[in-house]
Amino acid sequence: MHPIPWRAYALLAASTSLVGSYVGLSKLLVAVFPVFLLAGLRFGFAAVLMLPWLKKPADEAPLDGRSRLLLFLESFLGNFLFSICMLFGLRQSSAVVAGVIMAGIPAAVALLSWAVLRERLSGRVLAGIACAVGGIGLVALGKHDGAETTPLGALLLLAAVFCEGCYVVIGKQLTANLTPRRISALINLWGLVLVTPLAVWQGLSFDFGMPRLLDWALLGYYAATASVVTVWLWMAGLRGLPAAKAGVFMVFLPISTALVGLLLGESLSAAQALAYGLALLGVLLATWPAPTTAR
């Protein structure tokens, strides 16, 4: 019997729980900072924190063309587009609704593994995808306690789900050759390059004296968790597990997102509770390890 990789499990659970917490807190930040400026400040703060991580370890091979392309795609899809889609989507939905939609990430990982890695999808995985889509549909089309999720908001959050799915699949390939710290620093640097022109454009007309000290503190937490801590934890955990098994730990993302939303005063309706049940059932069906056949 193979030993259970508890360390990898703990790293992945901690990473996705932190992601869920800052998804919920992002709702507060987008009310103060323009989206592109917020993303630029996040990447900028994180770049300063991770300067020592940019140095290549002595035992690491130089970056080849494939690794450079994967690093760019990891940042473009998993950092830049994910952040933009998520932040704009949150402006047109509640944190609780966003949490339900984010529950579709493991199903997206399964679909992308089939499309990109040519992994075979079992009937259980297909059933899980159907449950996740059903949960998404329940919240994407209605009004809940006065907070309406617009079709555009649901579409943007769904796009963020697939961006995060790409992040998992590409990240698994990167961990074969690069250390988790260097991956984190390099993809954050690409994110800063991509968003800087848009951030400068919005920053020119922004009153930097308007945010309160608490807003800047939340921004610091957002930058440290979103670009530094969660990425390093995820890459370190992903290095020791198959991508499909790691996907099950995305269940902690919607749970922590919803908890933050409830702490911020949002309510959970019966329809949303049913949607959560369907979405989390989809997570388990799509990503729970199949039993091994004894000889």
Side-chain angles (χ1 to χ4, degrees), residues 130-205:
C131 287
V133 171
I136 292 169
L138 282 177
V139 296
L141 301 177
K143 297 181 179 179
H144 308 282
D145 300 324
E148 181 181 2
T149 299
T150 67
L152 178 59
L155 187 62
L156 287 170
L157 291 171
L158 195 57
V161 164
F162 277 93
C163 286
E164 192 72 359
C166 293
Y167 176 83
V168 174
V169 173
I170 297 171
K172 180 60 183 175
Q173 300 176 68
L174 286 171
T175 57
N177 301 314
L178 300 172
T179 63
R181 287 186 178 186
R182 193 150 185 251
I183 294 172
S184 305
L186 289 171
I187 64 176
N188 179 79
L189 204 58
W190 263 120
L192 180 60
V193 171
L194 289 167
V195 82
T196 291
L198 296 170
V200 170
W201 167 62
Q202 289 190 330
L204 291 175
S205 58

Side-chain angles (χ1 to χ4, degrees), residues 23 90 94-104 157 253-255 257-258 276 279:
V23 167
L90 279 171
S94 71
V96 172
V97 169
V100 178
I101 294 178
M102 290 293 159
L157 291 171
L253 193 157
I255 291 174
T257 298
Y276 250 105

Side-chain angles (χ1 to χ4, degrees), residues 42-43 66-83 162-175 178 180 182-191 194 231-232 234-235 238:
R42 164 200 161 177
F43 292 131
R66 180 176 179 274
S67 296
R68 293 176 189 274
L69 176 61
L70 289 177
L71 283 167
F72 170 76
L73 291 175
E74 181 81 335
S75 184
F76 179 69
L77 296 171
N79 270 351
F80 180 72
L81 278 186
F82 173 76
S83 297
F162 277 93
C163 286
E164 192 72 359
C166 293
Y167 176 83
V168 174
V169 173
I170 297 171
K172 180 60 183 175
Q173 300 176 68
L174 286 171
T175 57
L178 300 172
R182 193 150 185 251
I183 294 172
S184 305
L186 289 171
I187 64 176
N188 179 79
L189 204 58
W190 263 120
L194 289 167
V231 180
W232 174 75
W234 179 261
M235 294 300 171
L238 189 61

Side-chain angles (χ1 to χ4, degrees), residues 22-281:
Y22 79 66
V23 167
L25 290 176
S26 297
K27 186 75 175 175
L28 300 176
L29 290 172
V30 294
V32 179
F33 298 94
V35 169
F36 296 123
L37 178 60
L38 175 60
L41 291 171
R42 164 200 161 177
F43 292 131
F45 286 176
V48 174
L49 294 174
M50 290 191 289
L51 275 176
W53 292 6
L54 287 171
K55 185 178 180 181
K56 184 181 80 68
D59 59 346
E60 188 177 283
L63 291 175
D64 56 15
R66 180 176 179 274
S67 296
R68 293 176 189 274
L69 176 61
L70 289 177
L71 283 167
F72 170 76
L73 291 175
E74 181 81 335
S75 184
F76 179 69
L77 296 171
N79 270 351
F80 180 72
L81 278 186
F82 173 76
S83 297
I84 300 306
C85 291
M86 184 193 72
L87 293 174
F88 273 112
L90 279 171
R91 295 177 103 176
Q92 302 183 53
S93 69
S94 71
V96 172
V97 169
V100 178
I101 294 178
M102 290 293 159
I105 290 176
V109 172
L111 284 173
L112 291 169
S113 297
W114 169 77
V116 177
L117 305 177
R118 299 302 179 188
E119 294 182 357
R120 182 175 174 272
L121 295 181
S122 66
R124 187 177 59 177
V125 169
L126 293 174
I129 294 170
C131 287
V133 171
I136 292 169
L138 282 177
V139 296
L141 301 177
K143 297 181 179 179
H144 308 282
D145 300 324
E148 181 181 2
T149 299
T150 67
L152 178 59
L155 187 62
L156 287 170
L157 291 171
L158 195 57
V161 164
F162 277 93
C163 286
E164 192 72 359
C166 293
Y167 176 83
V168 174
V169 173
I170 297 171
K172 180 60 183 175
Q173 300 176 68
L174 286 171
T175 57
N177 301 314
L178 300 172
T179 63
R181 287 186 178 186
R182 193 150 185 251
I183 294 172
S184 305
L186 289 171
I187 64 176
N188 179 79
L189 204 58
W190 263 120
L192 180 60
V193 171
L194 289 167
V195 82
T196 291
L198 296 170
V200 170
W201 167 62
Q202 289 190 330
L204 291 175
S205 58
F206 181 72
D207 179 10
F208 284 90
M210 180 186 65
R212 301 166 300 166
L213 181 60
L214 177 60
D215 298 324
W216 289 110
L218 285 176
L219 176 59
Y221 172 81
Y222 175 52
T225 53
S227 288
V228 184
V229 180
T230 58
V231 180
W232 174 75
L233 288 172
W234 179 261
M235 294 300 171
L238 189 61
R239 201 174 196 180
L241 288 176
K245 183 175 285 189
V248 73
F249 289 90
M250 287 292 179
V251 70
F252 292 100
L253 193 157
I255 291 174
S256 55
T257 298
L259 289 175
V260 171
L262 293 174
L263 289 174
L264 294 177
E266 296 181 1
S267 59
L268 188 67
S269 68
Q272 288 172 334
L274 176 60
Y276 250 105
L278 279 174
L280 296 179
L281 176 61

